[in-house]
Amino acid sequence: MKVAIIGGGIIGLALGWRLAQRGAETTVFERDAIGRGASYAAAGMLAAGCEAEPGEQALGVLNRESLALWPDFAAELEAATGMEVGLRREGTMLIALNRDDAAKLRHDMEFQKSQGIELEWLTPAEARAREPYLAPQLAGAVFSPDDIQVDNRAATAALAEAFRRAGGMLRERMPVRRIETDGSRARGVVTAEGVHAADVVMLAAGAWSAGFDLPVPLPPVRPIKGQMLSVQMDPEIPLLRHVIWAPRAYLVPRRSGLLVIGATVEERGFDGAMTAGGLYSLLDGAWRALPGIEELAVVETWVGFRPGSRDDAPVLGPSALPGLMFCTGHHRNGILLTPVTAAAMAATILEQKLDPRIAPFGIGRFARVRSAA
Ligand code: FAD
Ligand code: GLY
């Protein structure tokens, strides 16, 4: 079986790894260097619990399934490559800075607990006992032990290495210009080097996935801009150990002492500008939660584009064109969803049977909504 994957982000690489491990002749085409899209921009939170929202129950199940796979996935990846991926399991604290925030947190917590998510309410004193540098006006917090984090940049680099070691072909700086079809099915991809024939073409081009010209519906994916920055803590005496969700920013401490602060959520197309307003709101939100950041050196600022679909859930599985499949639209949880996406999509391709885990996420759901309207 020959598979051509368009897109060398975390999703394309993880799927490529699983396919190559199972003997498929797999090539990943990346127009840039690998892992410089959303997979570079992300914070790496594996937040199946505290990001769960009403109306997204099917996605919540998939999120939790993927979260459960992450520890073994990370261990397997590290063993396959000798590269660390920075999985940290201290958990996440959602903090309230006034009574209104606290009421909202308690309300969200009731819904999340009803979904079977383990959460614990902490008084301000209990929260500060775990994170002493949090702002003095803390009004309470929710502790989510299962919401952990991974270093997404390290994980993406390790996946590229694991893919190569499993026999996969990685073609960087090789944009796919179009998908080759013969009228009845996809036959491969076209690059500057000509046609690369494949039995299955996998569209995993993140926020750019809707940009191909084809006679069948493409995933309704659009870029959702996110601005981020990082500051450097002293790794010996870090200001934070847990991931923190504050009312207007989240803070993600890496083992190296890097503190990642995010993120804006903006409908601005592929506008890559880091704006004064974006930076201000992130720094203000982070400072209100953790005043000590004002002493820290800024390391980097960056912008990324989440691949957001119309219902915020991924688009996974066959297209209306035989030979073409979709694996995109992971929006705010693509790092979290990587292990389950790769496993379920690889099984679907190789066993030629839709994996039940991804059955709710086919592109057909958008046509059903239109015809029901
Ligand atoms: P990408 O990483 O964008 O990869 C797609 C690749 O396709 C790109 O490298 C691009 O160059 C390539 N490509 C496009 N067109 C072509 C072409 N024609 N030919 C060849 N290659 C092409 N998720 C979490 O789970 N946790 C988080 O904490 C988190 N935080 C985030 C914070 C921000 C600011 C952002 C932007 C995203 C965040 N996400 C998070 C979401 C997550 O990053 C994405 O869902 C995930 O990275 C999507 O992976 P991908 O491989 O589909 O896309
Ligand atoms: N999941 C975090 C973000 O998308 O910003």
Side-chain angles (χ1 to χ4, degrees):
M1 164 93 67
K2 277 184 81 170
V3 183
I5 298 178
I6 308 172
I10 198 164
I11 295 293
L13 291 167
L15 173 58
W17 181 38
R18 288 306 189 212
L19 288 168
Q21 280 179 317
R22 293 178 65 177
E25 201 181 312
T26 309
T27 306
V28 170
F29 292 89
E30 168 54 53
R31 64 173 183 187
D32 197 346
I34 56 105
R36 298 295 300 188
S39 305
Y40 180 88
M45 294 177 293
L46 307 178
C50 64
E51 282 197 70
E53 288 179 12
E56 291 188 342
Q57 274 86 338
L59 182 57
V61 171
L62 195 70
N63 284 341
R64 289 194 287 282
E65 192 141 5
S66 204
L67 177 63
L69 295 176
W70 252 110
D72 286 349
F73 184 79
E76 187 186 347
L77 192 50
E78 290 186 338
T81 60
M83 295 163 75
E84 286 189 11
V85 301
L87 192 79
R88 288 192 73 169
R89 306 176 78 159
E90 288 87 343
T92 294
M93 283 167 57
L94 298 92
I95 63 166
L97 296 174
N98 57 41
R99 281 168 56 183
D100 287 351
D101 297 343
K104 181 174 181 326
L105 273 190
R106 279 194 189 274
H107 177 265
D108 292 350
M109 183 173 85
E110 290 318 313
F111 166 74
Q112 288 155 354
K113 282 179 109 167
S114 76
Q115 302 299 298
I117 297 162
E118 191 190 330
L119 298 170
E120 183 188 346
W121 182 261
L122 302 179
T123 65
E126 287 167 340
R128 221 171 286 102
R130 295 176 194 213
E131 288 293 2
Y133 300 106
L134 287 174
Q137 67 269 36
L138 206 63
V142 171
F143 177 54
S144 178
D146 295 332
D147 284 329
I148 56 177
Q149 62 144 312
V150 71
D151 182 334
N152 42 288
R153 295 180 187 177
T156 305
L159 280 165
E161 181 61 20
F163 173 59
R164 282 196 202 95
R165 289 191 188 193
M169 278 288 295
L170 194 45
R171 303 302 312 275
E172 291 184 80
R173 297 186 177 78
M174 187 60 69
V176 170
R177 293 177 173 174
R178 62 182 177 80
I179 293 164
E180 176 79 351
T181 67
D182 65 4
S184 62
R185 61 174 295 124
R187 292 287 176 196
V189 296
V190 180
T191 68
E193 292 179 346
V195 178
H196 174 97
D199 304 303
V200 174
V201 174
M202 180 62 61
L203 184 54
W208 297 269
S209 297
F212 291 83
D213 189 17
L214 282 171
V216 294
L218 283 170
V221 170
R222 67 190 193 288
I224 312 286
K225 177 178 175 180
Q227 303 187 44
M228 305 261 287
L229 79 145
S230 59
V231 294
Q232 185 64 46
M233 305 182 293
D234 181 341
E236 301 303 320
I237 36 165
L239 284 183
L240 275 186
R241 289 192 170 76
H242 299 81
V243 173
I244 299 290
W245 274 86
R248 289 175 46 215
Y250 54 72
L251 299 97
V252 184
R254 304 283 197 232
R255 279 208 193 94
S256 63
L258 203 69
L259 180 62
V260 175
I261 300 173
T264 64
V265 180
E266 302 170 68
E267 294 273 4
R268 296 190 61 86
F270 288 107
D271 162 17
M274 189 82 208
T275 64
L279 203 51
Y280 170 76
S281 84
L282 293 176
L283 283 170
D284 184 55
W287 176 79
R288 285 172 194 274
L290 191 71
I293 62 155
E294 68 186 20
E295 305 293 337
L296 305 180
V298 173
V299 176
E300 187 186 352
T301 63
W302 66 94
V303 171
F305 301 104
R306 304 171 183 89
S309 79
R310 215 178 286 151
D311 60 4
D312 293 342
V315 184
L316 305 173
S319 74
L321 183 68
L324 173 66
M325 299 187 85
F326 299 139
C327 191
T328 184
H330 291 78
H331 195 218
R332 305 192 67 167
N333 283 314
I335 310 301
L336 168 64
L337 285 168
T338 294
V340 78
T341 299
M345 289 297 295
T348 299
I349 294 168
L350 297 173
E351 289 149 33
Q352 296 181 14
K353 194 165 135 278
L354 189 66
D355 187 292
R357 290 172 289 187
I358 56 169
F361 302 102
I363 192 164
R365 72 187 189 270
F366 300 109
R368 279 196 296 278
V369 169
R370 246 198 331 272
S371 57

